[in-house]
Amino acid sequence: MTEKKLEGKTALITGGSRGIGKAISKLFSQEGAKVAVNYNSSELDAKKLKDEIPDLEIFKADMSSREQVISMFSDVRKKFGQIDILVNNAGIMDVMPFEQYDDARVRRMFDINVYGPIYASLEALELLKKSREPVIINLASNAGVGTSASGTTYYAMTKAAVVMLTKRMAFDFRDAKIRVNAIAPGWIKTDMTLSGKSEREIRDAEEFFKSRTSLSMTGEAIHIARTALFLASRDSEYMNGQILVVDGGRLD
Ligand code: NAD
């Protein structure tokens, strides 16, 4: 029998009730981790996930609210005492052409995508310091390292901030030996990229993004979950402050 890669570890995944976060939660659980999932929007998604992974713990909080994050971590602390892995996955993409700037919507994106990981990492520090192999994984985006798609300038800016946050946290947490790395996915089929689209629009988007990758394929949440497993496990023990681009070889 092959050894499970996260046996004995506890992982907290933000925004873990669907999409990439859900795939990470399932894979980490299969690999032996105790998994705590943060969710905000849908009680139903959280319940469905609990049906799929019964020994999962779920914690509700809007990750853009400092107060709610502090209160959630107080519950996580009571339940687990320590965590080994924090995955800052919760995020939104609000597509908006540059000239159609909307102050509240852009600020909301920054609040969730940038302040969320800051708040979570601040509160997780004490719990991670109790681990022998502490790890933080941030979900950036290939948009944050320079690839372009129409209407995503403000989103790309939030993810560029996540890239720098990753590099700086790896430096700032060096004494605590917390490894901090990020994944920069390309176009992955989740609610973020598919919801609200007709079947035809989805087919067109798939064709478009296929034609933009050297592998001629679009991404699935499991591709990102496997990368997260690599970064969470000892397999990546000599990596720190890095951004792994997982986008099928984007051509522009
Ligand atoms: P998704 O929309 O399917 O899932 C995002 C999750 O974050 C949801 O569970 C949602 O409820 C949660 N969330 C949103 N705001 C929250 C808040 N304020 N507090 C707590 N949870 C909140 O999207 P996804 O594709 O699974 O995206 C996951 C991460 O990967 C995001 O950070 C996203 O920016 C990043 N990403 C996705 C893609 C892609 O193509 N899907 C590409 C690059 C990066």
Side-chain angles (χ1 to χ4, degrees), residues 237-249:
E237 66 187 340
Y238 197 49
M239 280 184 64
N240 202 13
Q242 300 305 304
I243 316 300
L244 284 184
V245 177
V246 184
D247 68 354

Side-chain angles (χ1 to χ4, degrees), residues 78-89:
K78 278 184 213 135
K79 181 76 201 167
F80 294 110
Q82 76 165 62
I83 59 172
D84 305 279
I85 303 156
L86 168 68
V87 184
N88 285 315
N89 164 80

Side-chain angles (χ1 to χ4, degrees), residues 93-98 109 143 147-158:
M93 177 174 67
D94 193 347
V95 175
M96 192 186 312
F98 188 84
M109 249 191 310
T147 54
S148 49
S150 299
T152 59
T153 296
Y154 303 116
Y155 172 74
M157 288 171 67
T158 68

Side-chain angles (χ1 to χ4, degrees), residues 4 6-7 11 13 23-35 52-56:
K4 292 188 171 181
L6 301 180
E7 201 72 67
I13 293 122
I24 294 173
S25 302
K26 284 176 86 169
L27 186 61
F28 280 18
S29 174
Q30 283 160 15
E31 287 294 335
K34 273 189 263 172
V35 176
E52 285 175 50
I53 316 173
D55 54 355
L56 191 87

Side-chain angles (χ1 to χ4, degrees), residues 95-138:
V95 175
M96 192 186 312
F98 188 84
E99 311 86 300
Q100 287 169 25
Y101 174 81
D102 179 300
D103 203 56
R105 283 167 56 192
V106 172
R107 281 176 194 277
R108 181 81 187 133
M109 249 191 310
F110 273 87
D111 281 346
I112 297 172
N113 296 1
V114 181
Y115 288 93
I118 296 173
Y119 297 156
S121 303
L122 280 170
E123 296 314 307
L125 258 184
E126 178 207 331
L127 300 176
L128 285 165
K129 280 180 181 170
K130 294 181 183 163
S131 167
R132 283 195 292 129
E133 297 174 317
V135 170
I136 297 177
I137 300 166
N138 293 326

